[in-house]
Amino acid sequence: MRRRDMLLASAALPATAASLGQSGTGGPVKNTVISSANGLAACKRAHEILEAGGDTLEAVVSGVTLVEDDPEDSSVGYGGLPNEEGVVELDASVMHGPSRRCGAVGAVHNIKNVARLAKLVMEQTGHVLLVGDGATRFARTWGIPEINLLTEKSRLAWVAWKQSQRDSSGHTNWTNWLDMPDDAPRKQAQNSLRRQFPEASDELLAWAFSVAKYPPTGTINCLAVNEKGEMSGTTTTSGLAWKIPGRVGDSPIIGAGLFVDQEIGAAGSTGLGEENIRICGGHTVVENMRHGMSPKDACLDAMKRIARNYNGDLKKLSRFDINFYALRKDGVFAGASLWSGRMSHGYMSAPKFAVNQGGESRLEECAYLLERKV
Ligand code: GLY
């Protein structure tokens, strides 16, 4: 079944398998780190720092730095998918529970480790949020090196996206047109990309066409609690692929992509940031926990607010996905997704989140609001 058909066939049931999405004993608090599914290594690094007695914010920032440094994660940091002009533009936020401080940066160019930059905003300024050129100049003040964040892999995907933008007659300035041999347009684009990227495998080209067609919104959110019950969190991202320059998503918005209240717990989000901003998701999840909801129910309630913004219109809801992660001060945690399954490179998979409570990180299944039927 083609992806579009599969989406339109999605079913309507608010279904949450009771066993899915929430873990933790609620007993004595263990050092615990959770994150989006791309954070297995990040959670492990963060947990090691907690075990060594390090601060919870230093732990999560050090954890996500691994993901920001990784050129293979095309949703975060170096190698992130760029804006419509081919410039990688990063957003990040941090919150430190014990001191109740926070910092954030938005639409930053040329700085790889923006979670750490957000921590610097928190530590070295009286401000909360710096954006654009001001954020880059702030980084320069502190001697942070500037680099081109666009890898060849991300540039390939960007060119594939440019070639996919066609007028109503199918014309694009980015491939041959009237002078091209008779052939399928996709094949033409693929051939012209192959000439420019001779090293690219068929698999890489297929990935480039896939992200050109379905702009992804990956991100990493990472939350930690230590044995003393101290909490922190961070969210870092390259945001929505092919965005208009200057678009800022939910990740650097305190109360949307991240919220930590030392008395209650922490929450964060990945997925289509605009939908989260509309409901102040991070804050909503923490407030739900304050009023007695479990982390899982708190996330699902936030998800219901997103669904309600579209009056439950499944056709519209099927066009995006969003995830919440929640970690309560007593160590109980949950992950939740809008949909029970997500498409990735032509395959449907159950949404998961990463957890580390010592040793290797593991993936746990997210709870979900809506069941996607193939
Ligand atoms: N949640 C990441 C973004 O939308 O930018």
Side-chain angles (χ1 to χ4, degrees):
M1 188 182 270
R2 286 182 308 133
R3 183 177 185 277
R4 183 174 168 279
D5 296 336
M6 182 278 300
L7 288 174
L8 294 178
S10 302
L13 300 174
T16 56
S19 60
L20 285 184
Q22 181 162 302
S23 300
T25 61
V29 186
K30 289 197 259 189
N31 288 331
T32 300
V33 186
I34 71 168
S35 80
S36 40
N38 54 347
L40 286 168
C43 287
K44 185 168 187 218
R45 161 75 66 89
H47 193 274
E48 286 164 358
I49 291 171
L50 296 185
E51 288 290 304
D55 173 66
T56 48
L57 184 55
E58 183 54 35
V60 292
V61 169
S62 296
V64 300
T65 295
L66 295 177
V67 186
E68 291 174 336
D69 287 348
D70 180 2
E72 290 306 312
D73 192 316
S74 60
S75 70
V76 179
Y78 179 60
L81 293 174
N83 67 19
E84 65 179 14
E85 292 175 354
V87 179
V88 180
E89 215 166 73
L90 305 180
D91 303 332
S93 60
V94 299
M95 287 193 86
H96 184 239
S99 65
R100 299 167 194 279
R101 297 163 82 198
C102 57
V105 290
V108 182
H109 297 175
N110 299 332
I111 305 292
K112 185 173 53 166
N113 299 124
V114 279
R116 194 157 290 285
L117 186 61
K119 188 167 181 274
L120 263 183
V121 172
M122 182 190 94
E123 291 169 342
Q124 301 292 347
T125 77
H127 306 321
V128 166
L129 175 60
L130 294 181
V131 300
D133 190 44
T136 304
R137 284 174 11 223
F138 173 74
R140 209 172 288 152
T141 307
W142 296 101
I144 298 172
E146 290 165 62
I147 61 164
N148 178 12
L149 300 171
L150 190 70
T151 57
E152 280 300 275
K153 180 179 170 183
S154 289
R155 190 171 69 83
L156 163 67
W158 174 55
V159 176
W161 173 75
K162 284 170 89 71
Q163 291 182 338
S164 73
Q165 305 300 297
R166 291 167 185 275
D167 68 19
S168 56
S169 68
H171 172 249
T172 169
N173 288 323
W174 287 92
T175 59
N176 295 335
W177 178 234
L178 294 175
D179 58 340
M180 77 180 178
D182 286 342
D183 205 346
R186 181 188 160 97
K187 187 95 180 137
Q188 283 300 315
Q190 198 155 351
N191 287 342
S192 85
L193 272 186
R194 198 175 276 296
R195 278 195 296 279
Q196 293 301 322
F197 296 88
E199 308 294 325
S201 63
D202 287 348
E203 192 187 7
L204 190 58
L205 283 172
W207 168 81
F209 285 115
S210 156
V211 294
K213 195 165 178 189
Y214 306 110
T217 53
T219 293
I220 181 165
N221 166 247
C222 188
L223 308 171
V225 63
N226 67 15
E227 287 167 347
K228 292 185 267 182
E230 294 168 340
M231 310 200 71
S232 289
T234 182
T235 304
T236 175
T237 189
S238 51
L240 179 65
W242 334 128
K243 61 193 170 188
I244 296 172
R247 177 267 189 189
V248 168
D250 59 327
S251 302
I253 307 296
I254 300 296
L258 178 68
F259 196 69
V260 179
D261 184 324
Q262 182 53 47
E263 303 304 314
I264 306 298
S269 182
T270 60
L272 187 58
E274 280 75 1
E275 303 309 327
N276 183 24
I277 292 171
R278 283 188 242 279
I279 65 147
C280 296
H283 186 259
T284 295
V285 171
V286 171
E287 288 308 296
N288 283 343
M289 293 195 287
R290 187 194 307 280
H291 294 118
M293 284 189 202
S294 67
K296 174 175 147 181
D297 288 345
C299 291
L300 289 171
D301 175 75
M303 216 62 88
K304 282 181 195 158
R305 295 181 192 216
I306 288 171
R308 197 174 57 207
N309 279 346
Y310 291 98
N311 298 316
D313 181 333
L314 293 173
K315 197 168 162 188
K316 287 187 176 170
L317 291 168
S318 70
R319 293 182 195 274
F320 65 89
D321 214 337
I322 187 155
N323 316 285
F324 289 112
Y325 313 92
L327 176 59
R328 211 167 53 191
K329 195 183 170 182
D330 63 0
V332 178
F333 56 84
S337 288
L338 180 61
W339 288 99
S340 61
R342 69 173 47 123
M343 286 300 288
S344 178
H345 310 316
Y347 297 98
M348 177 86 94
S349 61
K352 297 197 166 75
F353 65 106
V355 181
N356 193 299
Q357 295 179 300
E360 293 304 314
S361 300
R362 62 183 187 273
L363 288 175
E364 295 200 4
E365 286 197 19
C366 289
Y368 55 85
L369 183 67
L370 301 170
E371 194 150 14
R372 180 167 271 156
K373 296 224 169 95
V374 183

